[in-house]
Amino acid sequence: MRSNKLLIDWLKWPLYFRIVLIVMLIVLLFGQVISLIEPEVFPTVFDGIWWALVTVSTVGFGDYVPKTVAGRFVGMVLILIGAGFVTTYFATLSAAAFQKQHSYLKGDTTYKYGNHIVIIGWNEKTSELIETFQKIKPYKNLVLIDDTLEESPLIENLHFIRGNPTIDRTLVKANIEHADAAIITANQHKNESDADMHSILILLALKGINPDLYTVIELVTGLQLNNAKRAGADEIIKSYQLSSHLMMNSYLAKYGLSSVYSELNPANGNYFKIVPIPEELIGVTFHAASHALLEKELLLIGIKKGDKTKLNPPISQVLHQDDLLILITH
């Protein structure tokens, strides 16, 4: 039982480590033996070890050569045994490197770092979102979870996990417990109702593992709005409303309003920001606050209080301590 335990413990070690250890033992053993057999050619054990290492690596400098029959016989045995292990070692390293690369491309490699953004679902919105992140936060690592892609999109700072995002095993691979935030995009392969229900299920899975995770979820209908709130969504993107509102505004304004929307892309340098009201602006009017913030290149466009948001309020409206300011900044 004791020998069996030792064998099992030995086999638990990584294969490449076991091969390296065997090669080292062979080099040390044959280096000692050859220095004993031919002390004139190999005056020190180190000289013997050097010869053994050069021999098994098939380099063969020729600075040390056995002269006697016994010494050459030892050299033959060393070549037959040692060179085989060295070849196996390099073959193992190559296979391990190939397997790791293949695993990464197929989305099977676990993400081991933290403070990353997890994006769920691959579509045109995701592609645009990743491109925007790379422009405004190039240092931020992104993890994409999708079960439709066969291979990683191979985008810089993007780690791909292939799998069902409602399953814990997939989320653990994405290291969701140490993520900074998660963005759930609507599944384009499902109808609108099923897509929203699937997004809610993903949200529940995320919050189940990391209740403090900041989550943004996209809904394509209003049917699951309350369920998204109950599931703990921090931000709900109602794409069905956004699209219709943008279309109506474009019709009413005309003259190419869509170009204005593109300027609000954070990648172009402009983005929304919601901040607590500075102490010096408490009690002043919206008009006065707008001028004060404009001096700092901040454009005040509205006020948020609790769940209520007011864009372009009356200029005489007084700002209070619990107000949040909606700004466009760059």
Side-chain angles (χ1 to χ4, degrees), residues 14 67 73 75 97 149 156 182 187 199 212 264 269 293:
K67 303 297 183 181
F73 179 77
L149 288 173
E156 188 177 358
N187 192 322
S199 295
D212 298 324
L264 291 176
L293 292 169

Side-chain angles (χ1 to χ4, degrees), residues 269-290:
N270 300 307
Y271 56 93
F272 290 102
K273 193 174 184 180
I274 299 179
V275 299
I277 183 171
E279 187 175 349
E280 64 272 15
L281 296 182
I282 298 175
V284 306
T285 63
F286 184 85
H287 180 266
S290 298

Side-chain angles (χ1 to χ4, degrees), residues 69-87:
V69 174
R72 290 178 179 178
F73 179 77
V74 171
M76 293 169 58
V77 174
L78 175 61
I79 292 172
L80 293 174
I81 297 177
F85 276 104
V86 171
T87 303

